[in-house]
PDB file of all heavy atoms in Angstrom:
ATOM      1  N   ASP A1108     -15.688  29.044   6.397  1.00 40.00           N
ATOM      2  CA  ASP A1108     -16.176  28.342   7.639  1.00 40.00           C
ATOM      3  C   ASP A1108     -15.140  28.293   8.700  1.00 40.00           C
ATOM      4  O   ASP A1108     -14.069  27.766   8.589  1.00 40.00           O
ATOM      5  CB  ASP A1108     -16.394  26.824   7.168  1.00 40.00           C
ATOM      6  CG  ASP A1108     -16.970  25.974   8.381  1.00 40.00           C
ATOM      7  OD1 ASP A1108     -17.125  26.542   9.477  1.00 40.00           O
ATOM      8  OD2 ASP A1108     -17.266  24.785   8.166  1.00 40.00           O
ATOM      9  N   THR A1175      -6.429   5.372 -27.883  1.00 97.00           N
ATOM     10  CA  THR A1175      -7.368   4.363 -27.192  1.00 97.00           C
ATOM     11  C   THR A1175      -8.734   4.666 -27.769  1.00 97.00           C
ATOM     12  O   THR A1175      -8.936   5.683 -28.332  1.00 97.00           O
ATOM     13  CB  THR A1175      -7.354   4.678 -25.628  1.00 97.00           C
ATOM     14  OG1 THR A1175      -7.615   6.017 -25.361  1.00 97.00           O
ATOM     15  CG2 THR A1175      -5.912   4.267 -25.063  1.00 97.00           C
ATOM     16  N   PHE A1204       4.045  21.680 -17.215  1.00 97.00           N
ATOM     17  CA  PHE A1204       3.440  21.521 -15.952  1.00 97.00           C
ATOM     18  C   PHE A1204       4.432  21.762 -14.837  1.00 97.00           C
ATOM     19  O   PHE A1204       5.514  21.390 -14.846  1.00 97.00           O
ATOM     20  CB  PHE A1204       2.971  20.060 -15.845  1.00 97.00           C
ATOM     21  CG  PHE A1204       2.470  19.656 -14.530  1.00 97.00           C
ATOM     22  CD1 PHE A1204       1.231  20.132 -14.114  1.00 97.00           C
ATOM     23  CD2 PHE A1204       3.078  18.791 -13.705  1.00 97.00           C
ATOM     24  CE1 PHE A1204       0.687  19.710 -12.760  1.00 97.00           C
ATOM     25  CE2 PHE A1204       2.571  18.420 -12.437  1.00 97.00           C
ATOM     26  CZ  PHE A1204       1.422  18.826 -12.075  1.00 97.00           C
ATOM     27  N   ALA A1252     -25.209  11.582   3.799  1.00 95.00           N
ATOM     28  CA  ALA A1252     -25.807  12.629   4.638  1.00 95.00           C
ATOM     29  C   ALA A1252     -24.921  12.856   5.869  1.00 95.00           C
ATOM     30  O   ALA A1252     -24.289  11.935   6.430  1.00 95.00           O
ATOM     31  CB  ALA A1252     -27.206  12.278   5.198  1.00 95.00           C
ATOM     32  N   ASP A1266     -22.033   6.350  -9.519  1.00 86.00           N
ATOM     33  CA  ASP A1266     -21.251   5.204  -9.488  1.00 86.00           C
ATOM     34  C   ASP A1266     -20.282   5.212 -10.655  1.00 86.00           C
ATOM     35  O   ASP A1266     -20.785   5.247 -11.912  1.00 86.00           O
ATOM     36  CB  ASP A1266     -22.211   3.956  -9.733  1.00 86.00           C
ATOM     37  CG  ASP A1266     -21.530   2.593  -9.739  1.00 86.00           C
ATOM     38  OD1 ASP A1266     -20.329   2.577  -9.946  1.00 86.00           O
ATOM     39  OD2 ASP A1266     -22.238   1.652  -9.437  1.00 86.00           O
ATOM     40  N   ASN A1280     -14.596  28.080  -5.895  1.00 97.00           N
ATOM     41  CA  ASN A1280     -14.511  27.797  -7.354  1.00 97.00           C
ATOM     42  C   ASN A1280     -14.413  29.004  -8.146  1.00 97.00           C
ATOM     43  O   ASN A1280     -15.358  29.844  -8.225  1.00 97.00           O
ATOM     44  CB  ASN A1280     -15.731  26.922  -7.882  1.00 97.00           C
ATOM     45  CG  ASN A1280     -15.837  25.602  -7.147  1.00 97.00           C
ATOM     46  OD1 ASN A1280     -16.915  25.080  -6.986  1.00 97.00           O
ATOM     47  ND2 ASN A1280     -14.706  25.065  -6.660  1.00 97.00           N
ATOM     48  N   VAL A1300     -18.199   1.753   3.184  1.00 79.00           N
ATOM     49  CA  VAL A1300     -18.399   0.395   3.695  1.00 79.00           C
ATOM     50  C   VAL A1300     -19.738   0.273   4.420  1.00 79.00           C
ATOM     51  O   VAL A1300     -20.096   0.904   5.413  1.00 79.00           O
ATOM     52  CB  VAL A1300     -17.302   0.120   4.752  1.00 79.00           C
ATOM     53  CG1 VAL A1300     -17.503  -1.282   5.382  1.00 79.00           C
ATOM     54  CG2 VAL A1300     -15.838   0.216   4.087  1.00 79.00           C
ATOM     55  N   ARG A1310      -8.506  15.155   0.009  1.00 98.00           N
ATOM     56  CA  ARG A1310      -8.132  14.370  -1.127  1.00 98.00           C
ATOM     57  C   ARG A1310      -9.149  14.891  -2.360  1.00 98.00           C
ATOM     58  O   ARG A1310      -9.184  14.100  -3.327  1.00 98.00           O
ATOM     59  CB  ARG A1310      -8.226  12.935  -0.958  1.00 98.00           C
ATOM     60  CG  ARG A1310      -7.197  12.558   0.166  1.00 98.00           C
ATOM     61  CD  ARG A1310      -7.088  10.976   0.138  1.00 98.00           C
ATOM     62  NE  ARG A1310      -6.228  10.522   1.273  1.00 98.00           N
ATOM     63  CZ  ARG A1310      -5.584   9.405   1.321  1.00 98.00           C
ATOM     64  NH1 ARG A1310      -5.817   8.376   0.503  1.00 98.00           N
ATOM     65  NH2 ARG A1310      -4.861   9.033   2.426  1.00 98.00           N
ATOM     66  N   TYR A1322     -11.460  16.583 -22.231  1.00 95.00           N
ATOM     67  CA  TYR A1322     -12.321  15.824 -21.376  1.00 95.00           C
ATOM     68  C   TYR A1322     -13.714  16.534 -21.332  1.00 95.00           C
ATOM     69  O   TYR A1322     -13.832  17.661 -21.535  1.00 95.00           O
ATOM     70  CB  TYR A1322     -11.792  15.844 -19.950  1.00 95.00           C
ATOM     71  CG  TYR A1322     -10.534  14.858 -19.869  1.00 95.00           C
ATOM     72  CD1 TYR A1322      -9.211  15.407 -19.748  1.00 95.00           C
ATOM     73  CD2 TYR A1322     -10.644  13.477 -19.672  1.00 95.00           C
ATOM     74  CE1 TYR A1322      -8.107  14.596 -19.620  1.00 95.00           C
ATOM     75  CE2 TYR A1322      -9.655  12.660 -19.487  1.00 95.00           C
ATOM     76  CZ  TYR A1322      -8.371  13.220 -19.489  1.00 95.00           C
ATOM     77  OH  TYR A1322      -7.221  12.392 -19.300  1.00 95.00           O
TER      78      TYR A1322
END
Side-chain angles (χ1 to χ4, degrees):
D1108 179 359
T1175 59
F1204 175 70
D1266 187 337
N1280 301 151
V1300 179
R1310 300 193 186 195
Y1322 286 103

